[in-house]
Amino acid sequence: MKRLKNIGLLLVVFLITFATPLMVFAQGIEVTKTPTGFMAIITIVPLIVVLTLLFLKVDMIIAGLAGGVLAMIIGGIGLGEVNKQFLEAIPTMLTITVPIVNSAIAMAVFKSGGYTAALMLAKRGTKGKVEYVSAFIVILLAAATYMSGIGGGSAMVIAPLAFAAVGVVPELIAAMSLAAAASFTTSPASLESSIVSKLGGFPISEYVSTMRPYWLLFVVVAILLAFFGTKRRHMGFKEEATDEYAQLSNAQLVKITLPAIFLLFAVILGPVVNNLVGVEIFTPLVYMVVTLALIFFCTKFNLNESVEAMIDGSTYILTRLFQVGIFLGFINVIARTGTFAVIASVAELAPTAVVVPVAVLTGILIGIPAGAYVGSILTLVLPVAISLGFSPLALGFVTIGVGMGSQMSFVNITMQALSSGFDLPILDIVKGNVKWISLASVLLLVLSLVFA
């Protein structure tokens, strides 16, 4: 009740300080007038309210609504215009079909056991060298997250397998977090890549191809961290659990893994093959059908179960796209008051050489307290970066920064999945990640300074 009274008081205050409408759009950042003086300070208040509520773990839609109502009062924006922004933002997000398809197919591969079989093969093949299994776990998590676009979903499946095979290794957990952050922020199937593409006004394929070298770089860093972190602890394998996969032969495990191998090839190398042969062979429709067929032929799933697993797998990303669509509608209302134009005008005062690193650092710092809402944070941070003329590469660095910050957050889904999978309090997961994710963040800042 106290919080509601405070919000009500804010509304009354800003009703008294009613302001003239100013034309600004979050997507495209088309500004006709930038607020100045006291008005410039007032227009930033709705954004501060949204961030504060997100930090307090208030649902993103409630936070967006609170900021949107304040923006209506400050900017004199009518309900008709708000309704227009609301109805336009939702379908904008839901038209991102390729990430939806990729995510759904990847989740079907998850459910059919492809990743469990792959880890069992790696465990058998290393013959007691547990550090190699740790490295493979990171590769598996990175590949699964890159294909599905869902870091939390990947960690939920792979973390218990890692705990069963290796046990608790802080460096492995941090490496998994780093790999997840780099993967879901640059994936062709993720919500985050979709938001960058839509707000930046360029194809998602351009963003993905631009960021792929940096995704690979951070994955390699994560692999090395897991490998040497496990090796220096001189650990051995935990006793193998008695489950159905432990009883299967290597040939049977390879067969179950084939759908995952094909999907990984189609998502990462498919575009390269298409360009080389000059024909669109690996399209979403083709690899969807082939992957489902492989799940049917190579696993215990029948055709109905394969398709149902894919449809069920689409639920997560569709729900998140709908949620972010509503949130983005409110952010566009806030943008109409001139908020992002004001912030951009201040940011322009910074030396050109450090504008991108400062934006990346901002993303990292915001991602720590608000890590559950990476997509919503991007809709707050990226419009400013876009108004400053950031390239797709620079926007990608900012996006990865928010992702890395989220891996030091108590409210992030991936962190919660790791806590559950490794049977550790989330506080221990966060403490273990801070050192290594911070070092990775320094590397990201250096990259943004040199290459962006």
Side-chain angles (χ1 to χ4, degrees), residues 122-123 125-134 227 230 235-237:
K123 187 175 177 181
T126 55
K127 296 178 181 178
K129 295 181 179 177
V130 70
E131 61 269 22
Y132 287 96
V133 172
S134 286
F227 180 88
T230 305
M235 298 183 69
F237 279 125

PDB file of all heavy atoms in Angstrom, residues 122-123 125-134 227 230 235-237:
ATOM      1  N   ALA A 122      30.460 -37.755 -24.404  1.00  0.00           N
ATOM      2  CA  ALA A 122      31.685 -37.039 -24.020  1.00  0.00           C
ATOM      3  C   ALA A 122      32.287 -37.622 -22.751  1.00  0.00           C
ATOM      4  O   ALA A 122      33.502 -37.773 -22.636  1.00  0.00           O
ATOM      5  CB  ALA A 122      31.363 -35.560 -23.819  1.00  0.00           C
ATOM      6  N   LYS A 123      31.443 -37.979 -21.832  1.00  0.00           N
ATOM      7  CA  LYS A 123      31.912 -38.542 -20.563  1.00  0.00           C
ATOM      8  C   LYS A 123      32.622 -39.873 -20.787  1.00  0.00           C
ATOM      9  O   LYS A 123      33.678 -40.134 -20.198  1.00  0.00           O
ATOM     10  CB  LYS A 123      30.720 -38.709 -19.619  1.00  0.00           C
ATOM     11  CG  LYS A 123      31.096 -39.138 -18.211  1.00  0.00           C
ATOM     12  CD  LYS A 123      29.873 -39.148 -17.313  1.00  0.00           C
ATOM     13  CE  LYS A 123      30.234 -39.643 -15.920  1.00  0.00           C
ATOM     14  NZ  LYS A 123      29.064 -39.690 -15.027  1.00  0.00           N
ATOM     15  N   GLY A 125      33.973 -40.859 -23.667  1.00  0.00           N
ATOM     16  CA  GLY A 125      35.127 -40.682 -24.554  1.00  0.00           C
ATOM     17  C   GLY A 125      36.352 -40.122 -23.876  1.00  0.00           C
ATOM     18  O   GLY A 125      37.479 -40.358 -24.332  1.00  0.00           O
ATOM     19  N   THR A 126      36.176 -39.372 -22.793  1.00  0.00           N
ATOM     20  CA  THR A 126      37.332 -38.741 -22.135  1.00  0.00           C
ATOM     21  C   THR A 126      38.069 -39.670 -21.180  1.00  0.00           C
ATOM     22  O   THR A 126      39.201 -39.370 -20.785  1.00  0.00           O
ATOM     23  CB  THR A 126      36.867 -37.498 -21.349  1.00  0.00           C
ATOM     24  OG1 THR A 126      35.832 -37.890 -20.458  1.00  0.00           O
ATOM     25  CG2 THR A 126      36.383 -36.418 -22.273  1.00  0.00           C
ATOM     26  N   LYS A 127      37.440 -40.772 -20.778  1.00  0.00           N
ATOM     27  CA  LYS A 127      38.082 -41.802 -19.944  1.00  0.00           C
ATOM     28  C   LYS A 127      38.765 -41.234 -18.693  1.00  0.00           C
ATOM     29  O   LYS A 127      39.961 -41.415 -18.472  1.00  0.00           O
ATOM     30  CB  LYS A 127      39.099 -42.576 -20.781  1.00  0.00           C
ATOM     31  CG  LYS A 127      38.455 -43.347 -21.929  1.00  0.00           C
ATOM     32  CD  LYS A 127      39.473 -44.067 -22.757  1.00  0.00           C
ATOM     33  CE  LYS A 127      38.796 -44.821 -23.912  1.00  0.00           C
ATOM     34  NZ  LYS A 127      39.761 -45.501 -24.790  1.00  0.00           N
ATOM     35  N   GLY A 128      37.998 -40.504 -17.917  1.00  0.00           N
ATOM     36  CA  GLY A 128      38.514 -40.036 -16.633  1.00  0.00           C
ATOM     37  C   GLY A 128      39.077 -38.634 -16.638  1.00  0.00           C
ATOM     38  O   GLY A 128      39.373 -38.094 -15.578  1.00  0.00           O
ATOM     39  N   LYS A 129      39.247 -38.008 -17.811  1.00  0.00           N
ATOM     40  CA  LYS A 129      39.765 -36.639 -17.868  1.00  0.00           C
ATOM     41  C   LYS A 129      38.582 -35.672 -17.745  1.00  0.00           C
ATOM     42  O   LYS A 129      38.035 -35.192 -18.726  1.00  0.00           O
ATOM     43  CB  LYS A 129      40.533 -36.412 -19.163  1.00  0.00           C
ATOM     44  CG  LYS A 129      41.788 -37.274 -19.254  1.00  0.00           C
ATOM     45  CD  LYS A 129      42.540 -37.020 -20.541  1.00  0.00           C
ATOM     46  CE  LYS A 129      43.814 -37.875 -20.600  1.00  0.00           C
ATOM     47  NZ  LYS A 129      44.543 -37.693 -21.875  1.00  0.00           N
ATOM     48  N   VAL A 130      38.235 -35.369 -16.502  1.00  0.00           N
ATOM     49  CA  VAL A 130      37.013 -34.629 -16.230  1.00  0.00           C
ATOM     50  C   VAL A 130      37.061 -33.199 -16.770  1.00  0.00           C
ATOM     51  O   VAL A 130      36.041 -32.606 -17.080  1.00  0.00           O
ATOM     52  CB  VAL A 130      36.718 -34.650 -14.708  1.00  0.00           C
ATOM     53  CG1 VAL A 130      37.717 -33.809 -13.942  1.00  0.00           C
ATOM     54  CG2 VAL A 130      35.305 -34.209 -14.421  1.00  0.00           C
ATOM     55  N   GLU A 131      38.284 -32.639 -16.901  1.00  0.00           N
ATOM     56  CA  GLU A 131      38.381 -31.278 -17.419  1.00  0.00           C
ATOM     57  C   GLU A 131      37.892 -31.174 -18.860  1.00  0.00           C
ATOM     58  O   GLU A 131      37.353 -30.143 -19.280  1.00  0.00           O
ATOM     59  CB  GLU A 131      39.816 -30.744 -17.309  1.00  0.00           C
ATOM     60  CG  GLU A 131      40.863 -31.521 -18.086  1.00  0.00           C
ATOM     61  CD  GLU A 131      41.492 -32.626 -17.253  1.00  0.00           C
ATOM     62  OE1 GLU A 131      40.873 -33.075 -16.261  1.00  0.00           O
ATOM     63  OE2 GLU A 131      42.616 -33.041 -17.600  1.00  0.00           O
ATOM     64  N   TYR A 132      38.049 -32.248 -19.622  1.00  0.00           N
ATOM     65  CA  TYR A 132      37.560 -32.250 -21.005  1.00  0.00           C
ATOM     66  C   TYR A 132      36.027 -32.285 -21.036  1.00  0.00           C
ATOM     67  O   TYR A 132      35.402 -31.685 -21.912  1.00  0.00           O
ATOM     68  CB  TYR A 132      38.132 -33.437 -21.776  1.00  0.00           C
ATOM     69  CG  TYR A 132      39.590 -33.280 -22.112  1.00  0.00           C
ATOM     70  CD1 TYR A 132      40.574 -33.845 -21.295  1.00  0.00           C
ATOM     71  CD2 TYR A 132      39.993 -32.545 -23.223  1.00  0.00           C
ATOM     72  CE1 TYR A 132      41.925 -33.685 -21.595  1.00  0.00           C
ATOM     73  CE2 TYR A 132      41.345 -32.386 -23.527  1.00  0.00           C
ATOM     74  CZ  TYR A 132      42.304 -32.954 -22.707  1.00  0.00           C
ATOM     75  OH  TYR A 132      43.640 -32.786 -23.004  1.00  0.00           O
ATOM     76  N   VAL A 133      35.448 -32.980 -20.076  1.00  0.00           N
ATOM     77  CA  VAL A 133      33.980 -32.993 -19.993  1.00  0.00           C
ATOM     78  C   VAL A 133      33.470 -31.615 -19.609  1.00  0.00           C
ATOM     79  O   VAL A 133      32.455 -31.138 -20.130  1.00  0.00           O
ATOM     80  CB  VAL A 133      33.504 -34.051 -18.972  1.00  0.00           C
ATOM     81  CG1 VAL A 133      32.000 -33.934 -18.741  1.00  0.00           C
ATOM     82  CG2 VAL A 133      33.824 -35.441 -19.480  1.00  0.00           C
ATOM     83  N   SER A 134      34.174 -30.942 -18.707  1.00  0.00           N
ATOM     84  CA  SER A 134      33.795 -29.575 -18.336  1.00  0.00           C
ATOM     85  C   SER A 134      33.795 -28.665 -19.555  1.00  0.00           C
ATOM     86  O   SER A 134      32.875 -27.873 -19.770  1.00  0.00           O
ATOM     87  CB  SER A 134      34.752 -29.011 -17.282  1.00  0.00           C
ATOM     88  OG  SER A 134      34.509 -29.584 -16.029  1.00  0.00           O
ATOM     89  N   PHE A 227      37.906 -25.532 -18.522  1.00  0.00           N
ATOM     90  CA  PHE A 227      38.935 -26.571 -18.637  1.00  0.00           C
ATOM     91  C   PHE A 227      39.988 -26.433 -17.542  1.00  0.00           C
ATOM     92  O   PHE A 227      40.248 -27.370 -16.771  1.00  0.00           O
ATOM     93  CB  PHE A 227      39.582 -26.506 -20.017  1.00  0.00           C
ATOM     94  CG  PHE A 227      40.652 -27.540 -20.234  1.00  0.00           C
ATOM     95  CD1 PHE A 227      40.331 -28.802 -20.707  1.00  0.00           C
ATOM     96  CD2 PHE A 227      41.993 -27.256 -19.969  1.00  0.00           C
ATOM     97  CE1 PHE A 227      41.313 -29.766 -20.909  1.00  0.00           C
ATOM     98  CE2 PHE A 227      42.980 -28.202 -20.170  1.00  0.00           C
ATOM     99  CZ  PHE A 227      42.637 -29.463 -20.643  1.00  0.00           C
ATOM    100  N   THR A 230      38.685 -26.629 -13.825  1.00  0.00           N
ATOM    101  CA  THR A 230      38.434 -28.000 -13.367  1.00  0.00           C
ATOM    102  C   THR A 230      39.749 -28.762 -13.190  1.00  0.00           C
ATOM    103  O   THR A 230      39.932 -29.507 -12.221  1.00  0.00           O
ATOM    104  CB  THR A 230      37.536 -28.742 -14.380  1.00  0.00           C
ATOM    105  OG1 THR A 230      36.342 -27.990 -14.586  1.00  0.00           O
ATOM    106  CG2 THR A 230      37.183 -30.125 -13.871  1.00  0.00           C
ATOM    107  N   MET A 235      39.908 -32.960  -9.933  1.00  0.00           N
ATOM    108  CA  MET A 235      38.672 -33.669  -9.623  1.00  0.00           C
ATOM    109  C   MET A 235      38.527 -34.913 -10.482  1.00  0.00           C
ATOM    110  O   MET A 235      39.059 -34.984 -11.593  1.00  0.00           O
ATOM    111  CB  MET A 235      37.459 -32.751  -9.846  1.00  0.00           C
ATOM    112  CG  MET A 235      37.457 -31.517  -8.943  1.00  0.00           C
ATOM    113  SD  MET A 235      35.991 -30.510  -9.163  1.00  0.00           S
ATOM    114  CE  MET A 235      34.742 -31.603  -8.475  1.00  0.00           C
ATOM    115  N   GLY A 236      37.783 -35.882  -9.969  1.00  0.00           N
ATOM    116  CA  GLY A 236      37.448 -37.069 -10.746  1.00  0.00           C
ATOM    117  C   GLY A 236      35.958 -37.088 -11.028  1.00  0.00           C
ATOM    118  O   GLY A 236      35.204 -36.268 -10.501  1.00  0.00           O
ATOM    119  N   PHE A 237      35.540 -38.014 -11.876  1.00  0.00           N
ATOM    120  CA  PHE A 237      34.121 -38.118 -12.197  1.00  0.00           C
ATOM    121  C   PHE A 237      33.319 -38.520 -10.968  1.00  0.00           C
ATOM    122  O   PHE A 237      33.755 -39.328 -10.153  1.00  0.00           O
ATOM    123  CB  PHE A 237      33.881 -39.163 -13.295  1.00  0.00           C
ATOM    124  CG  PHE A 237      34.150 -38.644 -14.667  1.00  0.00           C
ATOM    125  CD1 PHE A 237      35.038 -39.303 -15.497  1.00  0.00           C
ATOM    126  CD2 PHE A 237      33.513 -37.512 -15.137  1.00  0.00           C
ATOM    127  CE1 PHE A 237      35.289 -38.842 -16.775  1.00  0.00           C
ATOM    128  CE2 PHE A 237      33.757 -37.043 -16.409  1.00  0.00           C
ATOM    129  CZ  PHE A 237      34.647 -37.703 -17.235  1.00  0.00           C
TER     130      PHE A 237
END
